[in-house]
Amino acid sequence: MTGAKRKKRSVLWTKMHTPHCEDFKQWCRRRLPILEWATRYNLKENLLPDTVSGIMLAVQQVTQGLAFAVLSSVHPVFGLYGSLFPAIIYAVFGMGRHVSTGTFALTSLISANAVERLVPLSSQNLTAQSNTSVLGLSDFEMQRISVAAAVSFLGGVIQVAMFVLHLGSATFLLTEPVISAMTTGAATHVVTSQVKYLLGMKIPYISGPLGFFYIYAHVFQNIKSVRLEALLLSLLSIVVLVLVKELNEQFKRKIKIVLPVDLVLIIAASFTCYCTNMENTYGLEVVGHIPKGIPPPRVPPMRILSAVITEAFGVAFVGYVASLALAQGSAKKFKYSVDDNQELLAHGLSNVISSFFFCIPSAAAMGRTAGLYSTGARTQVACLISCVSVLMVIYAAGPLLYWLPMCVLASIIVVGLKGMLIQFRDLRKYWNVDKIDWGIWVSTYIFSICFAANVGLLFGVVCTVAVVIGRFPRAKTLSIKNMKEMEFKLKREVDDETVHQVKIVLINNPLVFLNAKKFRADLMNIIQRENTSSQPHDEISKCEQNTLLNSLSNGNCNEEATQPCLNEKCSLILDCSGLTFFDSSGVSMLVEVYTDSNSKSVDVSFAHCTASLIRAMKYCGNLDPEKPIFFESVPAALSSIHSNKK
C-alpha cells in the first residue's frame, strides 16, 4: 500500500513539474531569440557573407559612433562604446535579423538637450583642470556622459515597463505616413546639426522650439566665417561617397565584395590631414585624442533621473518607433516574423545594460540596416562580427583617428542619412493613394522640424486617430458581419477530375491602419483553409469575424506554413463593394495580400473596386500589367477565371 501511494505521488509530481520545465524552455526560446537561430546557423552558407557584412558594418558603426557622440555633446570615445554594447545585447534579445542597433542620431539629439541643460559648456572652466582616473578624461567630460547614461538608463526602464504592460500591441497607431514623416524630420535635424562641421563654423548650441530656423539664421548672419577649406573638403567627400555608393549599388550583382568607400575615405583624409597638418595650417577641426580601452562599469547617477525624465520618454518612444519600423521592414523583406513586444524588451535592455558602460542612448539606424541589406548579411552574426572589429578599434586603432577631420566625418553622416531623406518621395505616393495621409505626413514633418521629433510623432498619432474617428461615422456598414466568404468549385471541361476552387470574400468594412493587420490575418486564414467540400454548407460559408472590433490584434500569422491545396487550384475574389474608404495602410495591405497569394499559387481578383482604389493599388504596388485583376462585378471575375482554365 505504501509503495502504491509512493508511485501515485511520484506520478502526480511528474505531471506537476514536467509541463513547467517545457514551459520554461519555450519561454526561453521566446525571450531569447538567439537560442532559436543560433542552433540552426549554417556555417557554410552564412559565415562568409556575415563576415563581409560585419566588417563593412563596423566602419559605419565607428564613424557614426564618433559623430553621434559629438551630436550628444559627449566625448567621441563614448560613441564607440555605444556602438559595441547595445549591438551585443540586441543580438541576444532582438528578433530583427538584419537590424543594426547602436548609436542613433535622433536619440543623440534628444539626450543632448539634457546634457547641455544640466552640464552647460560654461561650467567647463570649473572642471577643466581636474582629471579623473577614467581614461584620463576631465571631470567635465565624465559629468556629461553621466547625464547621457542616465537618459539611456531611464529610457530603457520605460521601454522594459512598456514590455511588461504589453504595450507593443499598441503600435498599430503608428502608421506608415507618421513614421516616415517623423524619421524624415529627424534626418533633417541631424543634417542641420552637422552644418557647422561641413562649413567649418563655430555655432553655439541652439535647441527648443524653432531652433532649426535659428541655426540657419545664425549661419546666414555669419556667412563670412565659413572656412573655404572645410567647405571644399566636405563637398569633395560627399561627391565621392555618393558616386561610389551608387556604383556599388548598380554593380553589386557583378562584384562579390563592395568597395568600403567610408573606410577608404577615413584613411585617406586622416593621412592627408596628418601630412599637411591641416589642424594648425588651415584651422580644420579634427576628432582629437581617442583613449584606449574600456573603463570598468559604473552605475548611472540616480539622483538626476527626475531631471531627465522628459528626454528619457523621448528616447524610449522615438527610438522604439524608428527601430520597430526597421525590424518590421526587415521581416517583411526576408519573410519572417517580429514580435512587437519582444522588440521593446530588446531595446529596453540594450539601453539599461549599456548605460552602466558609459553609453549614450541607442536604437536601430536606417543607414546601417540598409548597409546590411546591400552587403548580403544573413543573421545577427554580422552585427556580432562588427562588434569584434569595433573592439579592435577601441583597444588598438582608436588613437589613429586623431587626425580625422570633422568635416569628413560630417559628410559620412549626411550621406548615410540618404535613405531617410529620400522619403520625401513618399509624398507623391500618398497624394495618389490618400490625400488625407499626405496631409498627415506634411503636418507631422512640420511639427518635427519646428519642435522635436517626439512632438511630431505625438501630433501625427493624434491626427491619425482623429481622422479615423471622423471618418467612421460616415461608414454605413458597421455591422457584425464584416467579411463573408463563399466557396464553390469549377470543373474543367477537359479533365472532370480536376477541380478549381474559388473563394469569394466580401469586404464589408473600411480598410485602414486600425484593422489592416487583422484583415490580412483573417484573409490568409481563408486562403490556408483546405478543401471543405465534405462539410455542411453552413460551415463552408462561415467567416463572420469582426475585423473592425477586433482590430487591436497584431494579426500575426505563420506565413511559412501557408501552402495551397495540392490536388486543387485556388482562386480568390475580393468583392470590394462594401469598402467604403481606405488609407495608405489599407492599400498597402491589399497589395501585400495580392503578392503573397501569388507566391503561394493563389490567383487574386478584385471586383466592384472604385476608380480611386484601382489607381491607388496600381501606384502603390508592382501589379502584373498583362493580367487583368480588376473587374466590374463578381460574375465578370468568375467568367474570367472559367475562361482562363479551359
Side-chain angles (χ1 to χ4, degrees), residues 513-532:
F513 72 96
L514 287 172
N515 60 351
K517 286 186 178 180
K518 184 65 166 58
F519 166 82
R520 182 186 180 279
D522 291 342
L523 203 56
M524 297 309 292
N525 286 335
I526 292 175
I527 295 174
Q528 292 178 41
R529 194 172 300 166
E530 296 181 358
N531 181 16
T532 53

Side-chain angles (χ1 to χ4, degrees), residues 438-630:
W438 181 89
I440 291 175
W441 196 103
V442 172
S443 58
T444 301
Y445 176 77
I446 292 174
F447 266 74
S448 296
I449 64 170
C450 289
F451 300 98
N454 50 351
V455 177
L457 177 65
L458 179 62
F459 175 82
V461 171
V462 171
C463 280
T464 304
V465 174
V467 166
V468 171
I469 292 174
R471 272 178 158 185
F472 269 117
R474 299 200 304 268
K476 300 179 180 179
T477 56
L478 296 180
S479 61
I480 297 300
K481 299 181 180 180
N482 299 287
M483 193 159 46
K484 299 178 181 178
E485 174 196 351
M486 293 181 293
E487 179 182 345
F488 57 92
K489 298 174 182 179
L490 296 174
K491 288 187 177 181
R492 295 182 61 179
E493 295 181 0
V494 179
D495 184 4
D496 289 342
E497 294 183 358
T498 304
V499 296
H500 188 87
Q501 188 179 26
V502 179
K503 295 185 177 182
I504 304 172
V505 176
L506 172 63
I507 305 176
N508 199 25
N509 239 3
L511 191 56
V512 293
F513 72 96
L514 287 172
N515 60 351
K517 286 186 178 180
K518 184 65 166 58
F519 166 82
R520 182 186 180 279
D522 291 342
L523 203 56
M524 297 309 292
N525 286 335
I526 292 175
I527 295 174
Q528 292 178 41
R529 194 172 300 166
E530 296 181 358
N531 181 16
T532 53
S533 58
S534 59
Q535 298 178 3
H537 177 73
D538 291 340
E539 275 188 52
I540 294 176
S541 61
K542 182 173 62 176
C543 182
E544 299 178 351
Q545 304 178 27
N546 191 340
T547 310
L548 174 63
L549 299 181
N550 293 332
S551 61
L552 295 180
S553 170
N554 280 330
N556 294 329
C557 64
N558 186 1
E559 297 179 4
E560 297 177 358
T562 306
Q563 294 291 340
C565 191
L566 297 178
N567 59 349
E568 293 184 349
K569 295 185 177 181
C570 302
S571 290
L572 177 68
I573 299 176
L574 295 180
D575 185 356
C576 302
S577 58
L579 185 57
T580 51
F581 63 86
F582 53 86
D583 63 4
S584 58
S585 299
V587 174
S588 298
M589 196 59 69
L590 284 176
V591 173
E592 186 178 337
V593 166
Y594 172 80
T595 55
D596 288 350
S597 300
N598 281 347
S599 66
K600 298 175 176 63
S601 301
V602 177
D603 296 330
V604 180
S605 303
F606 300 88
H608 294 116
C609 296
T610 60
S612 59
L613 179 60
I614 295 174
R615 183 175 63 252
M617 289 187 64
K618 287 182 177 179
Y619 192 87
C620 197
N622 298 321
L623 305 180
D624 189 356
E626 299 180 358
K627 181 180 178 182
I629 61 172
F630 299 104

